[in-house]
Amino acid sequence: MNAARWRRIGGLIRKESIQILRDPSSLLIAGVLPLVLLVLFGFGVSLDANRLPIGLALEDTGAQGQRLARVFAASRFFDVRVDHDRRHFEDDLAAGHLKGIVVVARGFEARLARGDPASVQVITDGTEANTARFVENYARGAWQVWRDQRAIDAGDARPVPVALEPRFWFNPELQSRNYLVPGSIAVIMTLIGTLLTALVVAREWERGTMEALLSTPVGTVDLLAGKLVPYFGLGMAAMAMATLLATQVFGVPLRGSVGWLIVATAVFLVAALAMGLLISTLARNQFQAAQIAVISAFLPAFLLSGFVFEIDAMPPVIQAITHIVPARYFVACLQTLFLVGDIPAVLLPNLAVLTGFAGGLVVLVGLKTRQRLEG
Amino acid sequence: MTTRFENLTFRFRGAPSAALDGVSGQIAAGRVTGLVGPDGAGKTTLIRLLDGLLLAESGRIEVCGLDPRRDSRRLRERVGYMPQRFGLYEDLTVIENLRLYADLRDLPTAERRATFDRLLGFTDLARFASRRAGALSGGMKQKLGLACALLRRPRLLLLDEPSVGVDPVSRRELWRMVGDLLDDGIAVLWSTAYLDEAERCDDVILLNAGRVLFVGPPATATREIAGRSIQVRHITGNRRDLLDKALRRPEVIDGVIQGDSVRLVLAEGVAAPDAADLGGGTKARVESVPPRFEDAFMARLGGVHKSALPARAAAAPTVGNTEAVVEARDLTKRFGQFTATDRVNFTIRSGEVFGLLGPNGAGKSTTFRMMCGLLRPTSGMARVAGRDLLEAPGAARRRIGYMAQKFSLYGDLSVRRNLDFFAGVYGLSGRRRRDAQAEMIETFELTPHLDRKAGDLPLGFKQRLALSCAVMHRPSVLFLDEPTSGVDPQTRREFWAHINARVAAGVTVMVTTHFMEEAEYCDRILLVHRGRAIAVGTPDDLKARARGADRPDPTLEDAFLDLVAAETAAAA
């Protein structure tokens, strides 16, 4: 590379940096949007179930039913309302005020006394499948406690022969924030990398500055470097901010090393930036660029990266599609680095795929970027 | 270092016809070559081919001795190009823009200081070096764009419509600067849709619909039609009727209104018609005038499409009718601290064509929008057809027809559906709707195009359709916002023939324009500058104010410049 080329690239980088600092819209996307998303996922969205409102229909008034009611009331997972008729809860369940109904049917005490199987019915709202499953599991837990107590009362102090003692590793309290925040960082990086670059290039076409640039001796490499370098810097800065926010404000642990985090972010950012530049070779105005970027990068990063929706739970066809979403590999890296630590067995394969994406996209952009207006 | 091209053909992907079709010409060093033609003629395409931004389909091209296909890098070192909208970064300051283009064009560090000083002095921008380009006026942006294109002393300077969106004051200054460059032996290509600019060029390439109509010095073109341009002066009757009558005669091929007079171009070898025969009254005189480049252009195109002239109703009596149809009293609009329109007063009489003129940012659009009810005045009164726009905006708006600057119909709908839609918008139904639509279809001769998509119509028909949608509900006042900017002269004449026919039927017209040709059609003009009304009068009145010993026959543009300059001086 000769001196003239370095000078051109330097000029373009300087120009772009000034624009970033002076144009409120870039700073909005790179600075404010990450904040909003992080706060939203850090505070607003919680997939944890705390104090689920349920109705307990004690249609049998016997002592065992009362005892079961006390166990439910003592549970930290439930907020219990008691009535003697399940029908009184049905409307509230339909309206969503209650997340479930536990029914102790008439004859419960009598059946127990006779030694017949006595059942407790759990009715949940299937439209909120996640919550319904929580209600079911926690109700099962409460039932278990009631049974153990009953056995102790009966003088049978033997523990249950086989007991299940679950331990949740890496996120012992099962706080959804701990995996949502690293995941949302991946979405933020996708936005900055892809949307922002696609928009700023489209803006140059709209304002006619691209035509003026092309009429100077700039080459493809100069143009690409002039966009990649400043937005790479901006993306890394946003990443630093997001990481600080995650660990210091939201209390998300960072168990891996910063070095790995920088490497993973850098590789992913190159892929995202190249994707943005690729979009800009197709879109000639900001509206088009935003549409393509949202459909091809942001939505897949949101829906198919495993950040909210677990990939293992998707139908096989969709699972196959997630393999071409770069964010998927970045989400895996981030969740591992934040929650587990430096695990080369996870990081290396994911990074290898990301490097492939980054390299392939950069080459594709180089081929697709034209130095003429058409043809 | 010659620049010449032969038989250039270029077609955009998917386009039905070629953007350039067998175009040939050359650009000589030390001369200004005008690339002249209406919008869509192919001017920008040709410039892009010369700069290597597009590649020709066929034909030969040599730019500064280089082939744009093979030598694009070296070519770009020799060519300076100022695209439309000047290619500036609005977030960057004047000096930062210069530095960027100096980096891109590899201007050696040692030369920078001197070059920047020279260009900032030349463009008189030194005082604004640290101002952001986005905060410059249109004229200053244009000068900065020029400075960026001149950084490496190009051998060929390509200017794509440098005078669009720039007021006449800045336009004149740009011509002066380009004139200074020629002494260094630079070849300049100046593209423009303003035909009056062609006469200032040393050579002209006249393009229309992708083909060359004329190449050579503009005087050659006007010489060809010497003796065929006449003006009918001292008309006592209605000059719009006279123009209509004249255009229907076989010996007249072209005609426009010029203030109180009517300018006509005659067919080859015929005698001028008698002024009295045309209905000009007893005092009317026919006088021979020097031909303009526009006359030559029209003659080459074959003159006005006579078949497109609208049928006219008998002229409504306008004499003695002095009822004010549109009235503005102390009309004021403030946007925060900025006063866009400052206590403007005027009245428009029934059946009058009233023009609103002014430099960019003078407040002409703001005033116009308040008058047609699109913008609410801060204070003052706006009254249309007896209704106050503040008190009864709905009632006033029903009496208004509005035609926007840009094509504002639904391009994907057919002509018929557009008419249906606008009939619905204006609340026409049943018989009134059928009658109104039938009348529009007949008046504007839309029958053959009824089922075509509006977006696919030829320009002239697009304008007719837009006009028919604006007048379908029979408004008493018609508002036109820069109706023919960038339009070819044939279509412009056709459009004004339709407007004049509406005026003859009693409609009052208010029009904004940049275009002096169009201003000449007005009965009276209001000149706005920095939010204030600085002059009002007939075009001839305003021209008379600029008349002097050194300028016996000033143009409307001269008058405009004088009045704005006097006002600026008074303010300072």
Side-chain angles (χ1 to χ4, degrees):
Chain A
M1 292 226 274
N2 55 26
R5 161 154 287 175
W6 282 115
R7 192 187 294 231
R8 287 197 297 268
I9 295 178
L12 286 171
I13 292 175
R14 201 169 314 123
K15 169 221 108 185
E16 203 71 39
S17 310
I18 296 174
Q19 280 191 304
I20 292 173
L21 292 175
R22 290 194 189 151
D23 179 15
S25 65
S26 317
L27 284 181
L28 212 66
I29 294 185
V32 179
L33 200 69
L35 258 172
V36 171
L37 276 180
L38 276 179
V39 168
L40 210 66
F41 286 111
F43 286 133
V45 180
S46 171
L47 300 183
D48 307 335
N50 282 325
R51 294 265 164 209
L52 295 162
I54 59 162
L56 179 64
L58 276 185
E59 295 176 346
D60 185 295
T61 50
Q64 291 302 334
Q66 297 288 349
R67 188 168 206 161
L68 186 63
R70 278 199 296 281
V71 173
F72 269 95
S75 161
R76 68 186 170 99
F77 300 114
F78 292 123
D79 187 9
V80 186
R81 254 164 64 194
V82 183
D83 203 303
H84 296 288
D85 191 338
R86 73 181 82 169
R87 281 169 299 186
H88 293 161
F89 292 129
E90 281 170 7
D91 286 347
D92 278 339
L93 183 72
H97 300 317
L98 291 180
K99 300 299 177 195
I101 307 172
V102 177
V103 184
V104 181
R106 201 168 306 250
F108 178 74
E109 185 95 14
R111 279 169 170 271
L112 278 177
R114 282 202 303 273
D116 286 348
S119 53
V120 174
Q121 184 185 22
V122 179
I123 303 169
T124 54
D125 176 1
T127 56
E128 288 183 59
N130 206 20
T131 311
R133 220 164 292 139
F134 280 129
V135 172
E136 183 200 335
N137 286 331
Y138 291 141
R140 210 183 281 279
W143 163 257
Q144 187 75 44
V145 172
W146 171 80
R147 256 184 42 186
D148 290 353
Q149 284 186 354
R150 197 163 158 265
I152 292 163
D153 287 357
D156 186 359
R158 276 179 303 149
V160 186
V162 181
L164 190 65
E165 289 272 342
R167 287 278 184 281
F168 299 102
W169 279 21
F170 313 126
N171 189 9
E173 302 87 43
L174 283 178
Q175 283 218 354
S176 58
R177 177 192 293 171
N178 283 0
Y179 65 86
L180 281 182
V181 168
S184 59
I185 291 178
V187 173
I188 290 164
M189 287 299 116
T190 306
L191 267 180
I192 294 177
T194 309
L195 185 65
L196 202 54
T197 33
L199 284 181
V200 294
V201 180
R203 192 175 60 191
E204 296 226 21
W205 284 110
E206 267 178 19
R207 297 190 180 165
T209 48
M210 188 54 92
E211 193 172 345
L213 281 189
L214 293 181
S215 74
T216 67
V218 291
T220 308
V221 175
D222 315 356
L223 278 177
L224 293 183
K227 291 286 175 202
L228 279 174
V229 174
Y231 289 99
F232 183 81
L234 187 68
M236 292 308 273
M239 181 67 187
M241 187 189 82
T243 306
L244 276 177
L245 215 65
T247 53
Q248 304 307 310
V249 178
F250 299 115
V252 175
L254 176 58
R255 299 201 170 93
S257 58
V258 175
W260 274 103
L261 192 62
I262 291 176
V263 171
T265 309
V267 176
F268 176 72
L269 207 50
V270 171
L273 289 166
M275 181 79 185
L277 290 174
L278 192 63
I279 290 169
S280 72
T281 62
L282 301 169
R284 288 291 150 89
N285 62 59
Q286 295 190 65
F287 180 70
Q288 256 183 16
Q291 269 191 326
I292 302 178
V294 164
I295 291 171
S296 68
F298 176 67
L299 284 182
F302 204 94
L303 300 172
L304 302 177
S305 65
F307 136 66
V308 182
F309 309 102
E310 272 178 52
I311 292 173
D312 291 338
M314 294 174 185
V317 182
I318 308 286
Q319 281 198 32
I321 294 174
T322 63
H323 288 286
I324 57 164
V325 178
R328 174 201 164 132
Y329 305 96
F330 190 45
V331 167
C333 289
L334 286 180
Q335 286 183 345
T336 305
L337 282 170
F338 275 93
L339 299 177
V340 186
D342 298 341
I343 312 292
V346 178
L347 295 174
L348 288 177
N350 281 304
L351 278 177
V353 180
L354 278 179
T355 312
F357 270 113
L361 284 167
V362 168
V363 170
L364 199 60
V365 166
L367 292 176
K368 283 274 176 191
T369 300
R370 285 161 295 177
Q371 287 205 58
R372 299 187 204 279
L373 298 172
E374 196 185 73
Chain B
M1 288 286 204
T2 49
T3 297
R4 61 165 62 106
F5 40 94
E6 266 168 56
N7 244 328
L8 284 185
T9 298
F10 183 85
R11 184 188 303 267
F12 283 100
R13 218 178 290 143
S17 59
L20 289 178
D21 191 359
V23 170
S24 307
Q26 62 168 336
I27 303 164
R31 291 167 80 87
V32 179
T33 304
L35 182 58
V36 184
D39 287 0
K43 302 190 296 292
T44 300
T45 307
L46 179 57
I47 291 181
R48 286 172 175 172
L49 289 176
L50 290 171
D51 198 39
L53 290 170
L54 291 173
L55 293 179
E57 223 168 79
S58 62
R60 290 209 340 207
I61 183 165
E62 187 187 345
V63 180
C64 298
L66 299 169
D67 177 355
R69 190 180 290 270
R70 267 176 283 136
D71 251 337
S72 68
R73 186 59 64 86
R74 272 168 67 207
L75 180 124
R76 278 163 196 177
E77 285 165 9
R78 296 185 192 174
V79 178
Y81 171 40
M82 180 165 88
Q84 282 177 33
R85 292 177 294 156
F86 323 131
L88 300 172
Y89 287 93
E90 307 223 319
D91 296 322
L92 269 58
T93 63
V94 169
I95 195 78
E96 284 166 348
N97 268 293
L98 279 175
R99 245 180 241 142
L100 169 66
Y101 283 101
D103 285 335
L104 296 178
R105 292 193 173 277
D106 198 28
L107 185 68
T109 319
E111 286 177 32
R112 284 194 184 198
R113 193 59 191 270
T115 307
F116 290 174
D117 285 349
R118 175 172 61 84
L119 288 172
L120 287 174
F122 177 59
T123 54
D124 198 23
L125 285 172
R127 286 170 294 152
F128 305 107
S130 54
R131 188 183 283 196
R132 288 192 198 174
L136 298 176
S137 72
M140 292 200 283
K141 278 183 192 164
Q142 171 213 53
K143 287 194 232 166
L144 177 56
L146 183 66
C148 290
L150 289 174
L151 273 165
R152 284 303 307 259
R153 293 184 188 270
R155 305 310 308 151
L156 170 66
L157 181 62
L158 303 171
L159 304 173
D160 194 2
E161 304 216 22
S163 46
V164 163
V166 170
D167 57 69
V169 184
S170 312
R171 200 154 34 126
R172 197 160 277 195
E173 219 166 321
L174 188 70
W175 273 104
R176 178 188 58 74
M177 295 197 300
V178 167
D180 291 349
L181 293 172
L182 298 178
D183 302 337
D184 299 345
I186 293 181
V188 178
L189 184 70
W190 175 301
S191 98
T192 180
Y194 297 106
L195 292 172
D196 56 343
E197 287 195 329
E199 277 165 270
R200 301 193 195 175
C201 301
D202 300 309
D203 301 296
V204 165
I205 300 169
L206 179 61
L207 278 183
N208 196 52
R211 289 168 187 272
V212 174
L213 281 186
F214 170 80
V215 180
T220 311
T222 47
R223 209 176 302 129
E224 283 173 13
I225 58 156
R228 287 165 60 187
S229 298
I230 57 167
Q231 214 176 25
V232 187
R233 294 184 183 164
H234 312 294
I235 302 167
T236 45
N238 184 319
R239 63 205 203 295
R240 281 187 279 270
D241 292 341
L242 187 142
L243 173 65
D244 182 63
K245 203 175 266 180
L247 285 178
R248 287 170 200 280
R249 289 182 163 236
E251 68 264 36
V252 176
I253 61 161
D254 179 31
V256 292
I257 289 174
Q258 285 189 316
D260 295 341
S261 314
V262 170
R263 182 190 190 94
L264 301 173
V265 179
L266 302 174
E268 226 170 334
V270 298
D274 187 66
D277 282 359
L278 294 171
T282 46
K283 285 190 209 149
R285 293 281 173 280
V286 169
E287 286 173 37
S288 184
V289 287
R292 300 178 308 176
F293 189 76
E294 183 162 341
D295 297 341
F297 184 13
M298 283 301 286
R300 278 181 181 260
L301 285 175
V304 170
H305 288 300
K306 303 232 170 185
S307 60
L309 291 174
R312 276 173 72 121
T318 50
V319 188
N321 189 349
T322 51
E323 180 204 345
V325 176
V326 178
E327 197 181 353
R329 204 176 300 151
D330 287 331
L331 196 64
T332 301
K333 180 74 190 179
R334 273 188 283 274
F335 296 105
Q337 291 290 307
F338 175 68
T339 308
T341 298
D342 191 5
R343 285 164 289 148
V344 167
N345 291 289
F346 60 87
T347 53
I348 309 177
R349 290 185 289 272
S350 174
E352 200 174 20
V353 178
F354 189 83
L356 202 53
L357 249 75
N360 288 326
K364 134 179 124 253
S365 299
T366 308
T367 307
F368 186 78
R369 287 191 185 136
M370 283 191 282
M371 293 315 293
C372 48
L374 292 173
L375 206 59
R376 207 181 153 79
T378 310
S379 65
M381 190 203 68
R383 193 178 264 278
V384 171
R387 309 285 160 81
D388 192 308
L389 274 166
L390 272 171
E391 284 163 13
R397 246 181 258 164
R398 267 192 289 281
R399 314 294 298 275
I400 291 174
Y402 173 72
M403 192 176 139
Q405 185 179 352
K406 295 262 161 63
F407 180 66
S408 57
L409 303 173
Y410 295 91
D412 291 329
L413 296 185
S414 69
V415 169
R416 195 192 300 274
R417 295 276 165 247
N418 269 294
L419 288 170
D420 282 348
F421 174 78
F422 280 93
V425 166
Y426 289 119
L428 299 176
S429 59
R431 220 189 126 150
R432 281 178 58 219
R433 176 193 186 128
R434 279 196 301 278
D435 288 352
Q437 290 188 344
E439 189 197 327
M440 290 303 120
I441 292 167
E442 196 195 316
T443 312
F444 294 100
E445 290 165 55
L446 297 171
T447 315
H449 298 290
L450 276 178
D451 294 313
R452 266 177 98 174
K453 275 191 196 172
D456 297 341
L457 292 175
L459 183 62
F461 274 97
K462 271 187 194 164
Q463 282 211 317
R464 284 195 212 178
L465 178 61
L467 188 58
S468 68
C469 289
V471 301
M472 199 183 336
H473 60 299
R474 296 171 202 256
S476 45
V477 185
L478 185 56
F479 287 91
L480 306 170
D481 193 2
E482 308 221 0
T484 64
S485 55
V487 166
D488 65 89
Q490 268 178 326
T491 308
R492 191 165 67 241
R493 282 160 181 64
E494 212 179 294
F495 178 80
W496 273 98
H498 278 285
I499 294 294
N500 287 342
R502 304 312 297 180
V503 175
V507 173
T508 307
V509 174
M510 181 166 179
V511 54
T512 66
T513 185
H514 257 330
F515 206 56
M516 297 303 149
E517 272 299 309
E518 201 157 68
E520 297 270 14
Y521 277 90
C522 299
D523 294 312
R524 284 190 305 143
I525 292 172
L526 178 77
L527 190 58
V528 210
H529 182 53
R530 294 186 177 161
R532 317 212 39 179
I534 59 168
V536 66
T538 66
D540 285 23
D541 283 346
L542 298 182
K543 279 185 256 180
R545 294 203 205 173
R547 189 168 296 143
D550 55 330
R551 211 164 44 189
D553 193 15
T555 62
L556 197 51
E557 182 171 312
D558 294 329
F560 176 97
L561 289 168
D562 276 12
L563 286 162
V564 168
E567 186 68 17
T568 312

